[in-house]
């Protein structure tokens, strides 16, 4: 299996690359400079410079891009670009998503970022990521969007365990919604290999 990871030099992208390589998957980093590559194989591209030809030989493409501050508006156009260049391709797009767009009820009338107490500083990020998810829903490419738990902890341990949930925010028996970056990476590579949730948004937590 061959996969490409856009933003492989980021905190989550690098862990996904490492997890995939350990399993014998051939990984190509797509990064903006060669010095940022975390794998031996790489393409130097800004996301908007990636072409259909660049991705044609991959079984899966992971979008691990992170936009923050004023750059959160890039989630929508960057996702639109990836959809356009993957049309008609056999490559599947898997997105490192956010928790803010998870639903708080079964009726799907309220999302986490709309709930009382959600940090104002993070709302624009969650809203833009949610809009990008809606673009995928309306597309005709093969995609999977994986949202982490509400507490997405880079420094937490790698347990090797996780629970797959759906579109709603879920918690463990202690009422906690949490997962480590390392265990999220395991979940992502499992989904790449097993292809259980095509054209779906899922969430993962401990």
């Amino acid at each position: 299996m061959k996969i490409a990871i856009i933003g492989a030099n980021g905190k989550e992208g690098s862990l996904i690359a490492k997890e995939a390589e350990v399993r014998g998957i051939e990984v190509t980093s797509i990064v903006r400079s060669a010095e940022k590559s975390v794998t031996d194989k790489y393409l130097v591209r800004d996301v908007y410079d990636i072409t259909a030809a660049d991705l044609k030989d991959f079984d899966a493409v992971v979008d691990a891009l992170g936009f923050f501050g004023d750059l959160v508006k890039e989630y929508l156009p960057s996702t639109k670009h990836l959809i356009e260049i993957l049309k008609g391709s056999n490559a599947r797009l898997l997105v490192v998503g956010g928790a803010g767009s998870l639903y708080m009820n079964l009726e799907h009338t309220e999302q986490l970022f709309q709930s009382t107490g959600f940090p104002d500083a993070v709302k624009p990020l969650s809203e833009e990521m949610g809009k990008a998810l809606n673009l995928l829903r309306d597309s005709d490419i093969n995609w999977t969007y994986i949202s982490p738990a509400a507490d997405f902890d880079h420094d937490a341990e790698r347990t090797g365990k996780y629970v797959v949930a759906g579109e709603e925010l879920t918690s463990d028996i202690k009422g906690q919604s949490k997962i480590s970056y390392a265990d999220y990476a395991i979940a992502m590579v499992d989904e790449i290999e097993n292809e259980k949730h095509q054209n779906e948004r899922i969430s993962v937590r401990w």
Side-chain angles (χ1 to χ4, degrees):
M1 178 174 277
K2 296 181 180 181
I3 71 170
I5 302 177
I6 306 168
N9 58 305
K11 289 182 178 179
E12 186 59 54
S14 61
L15 288 173
I16 294 169
K18 181 180 179 180
E19 180 68 30
E21 288 189 320
V22 165
R23 302 192 197 188
I25 296 172
E26 184 179 304
V27 182
T28 297
S29 300
I30 300 182
V31 289
R32 288 189 291 178
S33 66
E35 293 78 15
K36 292 183 176 181
S37 178
V38 296
T39 58
D40 292 336
K41 292 182 179 245
Y42 60 87
L43 287 174
V44 177
R45 299 281 191 280
D46 180 85
V47 61
Y48 300 108
D49 296 327
I50 303 170
T51 66
D54 288 330
L55 303 182
K56 66 180 179 65
D57 293 329
F58 295 107
D59 300 295
V61 177
V62 177
D63 177 1
L65 290 169
F67 298 110
F68 305 98
D70 293 339
L71 294 177
V72 296
K73 293 289 185 181
E74 297 299 323
Y75 276 108
L76 209 57
S78 64
T79 301
K80 183 178 180 181
H81 176 68
L82 293 176
I83 289 170
E84 288 175 350
I85 62 176
L86 285 170
K87 285 180 180 176
S89 167
N90 291 324
R92 177 180 173 213
L93 178 65
L94 296 101
V95 179
V96 177
S101 60
L102 289 170
Y103 293 102
M104 301 299 290
N105 53 24
L106 294 175
E107 296 77 22
H108 291 186
T109 57
E110 182 185 13
Q111 292 173 287
L112 177 59
F113 79 88
Q114 298 168 323
S115 62
T116 302
F118 192 85
D120 288 338
V122 188
K123 285 182 180 179
L125 170 67
S126 297
E127 190 170 7
E128 293 305 313
M129 294 184 83
K131 290 177 182 177
L133 170 58
N134 289 335
L135 277 183
L136 292 171
R137 295 189 202 278
D138 293 336
S139 75
D140 56 4
I141 67 168
N142 187 357
W143 61 274
T144 300
Y145 188 101
I146 305 181
S147 287
D151 185 356
F152 194 24
D153 192 339
H154 176 262
D155 297 321
E157 65 180 334
R158 182 186 193 275
T159 69
K161 299 177 181 179
Y162 63 90
V163 174
V164 175
E167 295 259 27
E168 298 85 31
L169 180 71
T170 61
S171 304
D172 62 18
I173 58 174
K174 297 180 181 179
Q176 296 179 324
S177 174
K178 182 173 182 175
I179 194 166
S180 65
Y181 274 48
D183 284 337
Y184 179 99
I186 294 172
M188 174 65 78
V189 180
D190 283 349
E191 181 58 33
I192 290 170
E193 291 187 320
N194 300 326
E195 301 182 3
K196 287 186 176 180
H197 302 94
Q198 298 185 52
N199 299 317
E200 290 182 48
R201 188 263 287 270
I202 58 172
S203 55
V204 292
R205 63 164 176 83
W206 279 336

